[in-house]
Amino acid sequence: MMNLTRRILLQSLLASVALPALAQQGGVPAPTPFRFEDVVRRARELAAQPYEPMAAQLPEPLNRLSFDDYRDIRFRPEKALLASSGGSFRLQLFHLGFLYQRPVTVNILRDGVPTPIPYQKELFDYGHNKIDKPLPVNLGFAGFRLHYPLNNPKVFDEVIAFLGASYFRFLGADQKYGASARGLAINVEGGEAEEFPHFREFWIDMPKPDSDQATIYALLDSPSVAGAYRFVLYPSKETTLDVTATLFPRRTIPNVGLAPLTSMFFEGESERKRTDDFRPELHDSDGLLMQSGAGEWIWRPLRNPDQKTISSFSDKNPRGFGLMQRDRVFENYQDLETFYHKRPSYWVEPVGEWGEGRVELVEIPTPDETHDNIVAYWEPSRPLEAGQEVTVNYRLRALTNANGMHPGGKAINTFQSPARNSGSNSPSDPTHRRFLIDFAGGDLDYYLADPGQVQLIPTTSAGTITHTFVVPNEHTKGFRVAIDVKLEPGQSTDLRAFLRAGNKTLTETWTYPWSVE
């Protein structure tokens, strides 16, 4: 972090105002405006140097704040920055403490001139916390958030927040925070310990008075890589974020995740309940949706497995992937506090060709709903090499109703139960399982008048499919299908299924893993 003093900061603040005026008078040449290329240059220079671990411990009492202590520290809304521009964005800062021990520098770009925001105690309400000694002006912050009149022209709602490592979250209208995005993921699969790159510095471009977009630059750092990021934010009903990342590996990185998404899945209709809770389902996302480079749409319901599992979907030049909250029915959650039915779906759209690789889904066991246990990202087939410069572009969208993403039918429910012979009361066979899927939407309601035209196309990578059926489901205006599968002990399989009428594919492809111990 920069070694700042109050005098240097005040000089910078004065210079950011005085230099443009002097330039107009012919006294001083106008400074070159700060651009994304400057962040790229800094990242390149940073990668050429040894990685610097986290700075010294935070001063007392910030180094020992509990969760409740930290939650009691709030930014004062009346102190929000960017208001002087007359635009529609407001900037608030997050205080250091609790889990957030690594300081970051936050700059404002005024007419292309960067000015670091000095720490000031007056920016925060500390609640019951007692801060007796003055804290240094170069203390830094844990992160920041932008506010925008997202739901009401008279109210500034939080629209995006950067807090912790390279994590960030953003919202569309009438959405509640759930899933998160990250700048980069390294070694999520296992083997070596996972590495968490962090954003060490930000630059927020002062939006123009009539602007409905905001531009944010960020400098990323970790033992393995340095990187420059540009985020262009477009707040709306379904907010969009255009991302450019230029990466400079310090060493060869065999397991890197681009455009990583993180979420929580504790339980849903596809799994037996794990807890005595009045709420039927508990999850921020309920499935991974993908569109392959060939155009196939694939739906993979999420799980809370007994052990960490990794599912890979090989592809070339993917068209998109995302962690989706497809179930929007309040009655399926019955939660008046967390509003799971309003959690956004995050959808990644690659810009340009990403080549060969795979979408990877990592599912980690969690004992409750407080842990993010789901990760999805794109992993290139080739590792990032030391000394290489890699640039990726993609668009992130925060979606509420994603039913229109493709015209086919969707897998809206997944259930499973023991597979039994009709009328049998014998104990269930753990090697024989029934999977039931409700497909709805698209043209499926058209075929309800003649359901015999609809065919189920199931496949399994191991074991035997012993029985299937397709029946109309008037309640969903679609069809319910069943697939009975038998495996040998120790086997695992990946099931796939879709509906077809003649040569016409009617639905996305549903896929699901199952194993027998």
Side-chain angles (χ1 to χ4, degrees):
M1 193 180 74
M2 301 173 63
N3 185 17
L4 303 176
T5 65
R6 188 176 296 275
R7 178 174 295 178
I8 291 174
L9 283 164
L10 289 174
Q11 289 173 347
S12 298
L13 288 166
L14 290 171
S16 68
V17 176
L19 282 174
L22 288 172
Q24 291 176 3
Q25 299 171 12
V28 177
T32 302
F34 187 92
R35 300 175 300 172
F36 178 57
E37 289 74 13
D38 293 288
V39 189
V40 173
R41 174 180 53 80
R42 293 193 184 196
R44 184 184 296 111
E45 294 171 350
L46 188 63
Q49 304 170 6
Y51 174 72
E52 294 182 5
M54 189 172 68
Q57 191 179 54
L58 292 177
E60 294 277 353
L62 301 181
N63 61 347
R64 51 182 174 83
L65 295 178
S66 68
F67 170 74
D68 289 329
D69 293 335
Y70 183 75
R71 190 173 58 174
D72 216 29
I73 302 177
R74 298 179 177 87
F75 191 91
R76 298 182 183 274
E78 69 273 13
K79 301 287 187 179
L81 290 81
L82 305 185
S84 62
S85 70
S88 299
F89 291 91
R90 300 291 183 268
L91 170 65
Q92 296 189 14
L93 299 153
F94 291 109
H95 206 287
L96 289 163
F98 185 51
L99 298 176
Y100 310 107
Q101 301 283 314
R102 187 186 298 274
V104 301
T105 302
V106 182
N107 304 272
I108 293 179
L109 293 173
R110 293 180 176 87
D111 298 321
V113 179
T115 303
I117 302 172
Y119 171 81
Q120 300 175 65
K121 182 179 178 181
E122 294 75 21
L123 294 175
F124 297 93
D125 178 352
Y126 287 84
H128 70 271
N129 295 287
K130 301 298 181 184
I131 310 293
D132 297 325
K133 296 181 180 180
L135 295 172
V137 68
N138 66 341
L139 178 67
F141 304 94
F144 72 94
R145 58 188 178 183
L146 291 181
H147 291 240
Y148 180 87
L150 196 60
N151 299 288
N152 185 319
K154 297 182 179 180
V155 178
F156 286 89
D157 303 298
E158 185 173 330
V159 65
I160 192 169
F162 290 82
L163 180 63
S166 67
Y167 285 87
F168 59 95
R169 302 192 294 180
F170 63 107
L171 294 171
D174 198 32
Q175 295 176 355
K176 305 294 183 183
Y177 276 142
S180 300
R182 283 197 255 174
L184 197 67
I186 297 177
N187 200 38
V188 180
E189 300 175 16
E192 300 178 10
E194 183 176 356
E195 182 175 310
F196 291 90
H198 62 277
F199 289 129
R200 57 185 289 168
E201 189 164 4
F202 293 95
W203 295 262
I204 298 100
D205 205 353
M206 177 80 81
K208 303 298 182 185
D210 59 347
S211 177
D212 59 355
Q213 69 182 62
T215 301
I216 300 160
Y217 304 117
L219 181 63
L220 178 134
D221 198 13
S222 83
S224 298
V225 65
Y229 283 72
R230 176 174 57 207
F231 303 91
V232 183
L233 176 73
Y234 301 91
S236 68
K237 183 177 181 180
E238 295 183 333
T239 294
T240 297
L241 195 64
D242 287 342
V243 183
T244 297
T246 300
L247 305 173
F248 300 91
R250 286 187 170 94
R251 64 176 180 86
T252 298
I253 312 173
N255 298 318
V256 62
L258 302 178
L261 306 174
T262 301
S263 191
M264 181 277 294
F265 183 91
F266 180 46
E267 60 185 14
E269 82 274 354
S270 62
E271 293 195 338
R272 191 183 304 274
K273 287 183 66 67
R274 296 168 177 256
T275 183
D276 186 15
D277 197 303
F278 74 94
R279 297 169 296 175
E281 300 184 33
L282 300 165
H283 51 76
D284 291 333
S285 309
D286 55 7
L288 170 68
L289 181 65
M290 296 162 280
Q291 186 183 21
S292 72
E296 181 185 17
W297 288 90
I298 303 169
W299 175 255
R300 164 61 153 79
L302 297 179
R303 306 173 305 151
N304 182 6
D306 294 328
Q307 58 186 6
K308 181 178 178 179
T309 61
I310 300 171
S311 301
S312 295
F313 303 86
S314 297
D315 200 4
K316 181 178 181 180
N317 297 325
R319 301 187 189 182
F321 67 92
L323 291 176
M324 317 299 284
Q325 185 74 315
R326 183 168 275 183
D327 190 340
R328 296 290 174 183
V329 180
F330 168 78
E331 287 75 15
N332 292 339
Y333 304 98
Q334 292 293 341
D335 198 315
L336 294 173
E337 296 181 359
T338 58
F339 296 100
Y340 283 120
H341 64 295
K342 291 190 175 184
R343 302 293 170 100
S345 299
Y346 279 176
W347 179 252
V348 177
E349 295 176 351
V351 176
E353 295 187 347
W354 280 18
E356 295 183 352
R358 56 197 159 272
V359 175
E360 289 214 326
L361 173 67
V362 180
E363 298 168 302
I364 303 168
T366 180
D368 54 51
E369 62 188 293
T370 63
H371 298 88
D372 282 346
N373 64 321
I374 304 295
V375 187
Y377 50 84
W378 172 259
E379 182 171 338
S381 59
R382 295 182 178 179
L384 300 189
E385 302 287 347
Q388 186 181 16
E389 178 177 337
V390 178
T391 297
V392 293
N393 296 276
Y394 58 96
R395 172 166 289 181
L396 269 172
R397 297 165 61 196
L399 306 176
T400 298
N401 185 352
N403 288 336
M405 293 192 67
H406 68 82
K410 283 80 176 173
I412 61 171
N413 293 311
T414 298
F415 307 101
Q416 55 177 297
S417 68
R420 296 178 181 271
N421 294 325
S422 179
S424 172
N425 292 320
S426 60
S428 60
D429 179 358
T431 68
H432 203 188
R433 199 75 174 159
R434 170 167 291 180
F435 295 87
L436 300 105
I437 308 103
D438 282 331
F439 287 103
D443 294 333
L444 291 180
D445 58 347
Y446 170 83
Y447 290 93
L448 290 175
D450 189 6
Q453 293 192 46
V454 177
Q455 298 174 285
L456 171 65
I457 311 299
T459 58
T460 182
S461 62
T464 305
I465 296 176
T466 61
H467 180 63
T468 66
F469 64 77
V470 181
V471 294
N473 187 343
E474 294 287 348
H475 300 283
T476 63
K477 303 301 180 184
F479 289 81
R480 174 168 292 180
V481 307
I483 307 170
D484 291 354
V485 184
K486 186 171 180 58
L487 293 179
E488 297 299 323
Q491 276 191 320
S492 60
T493 185
D494 286 307
L495 298 166
R496 289 169 62 92
F498 65 94
L499 295 181
R500 187 174 69 189
N503 294 324
K504 181 180 180 180
T505 298
L506 299 177
T507 69
E508 63 192 11
T509 300
W510 168 93
T511 182
Y512 201 80
W514 179 52
S515 61
V516 176
E517 296 182 358

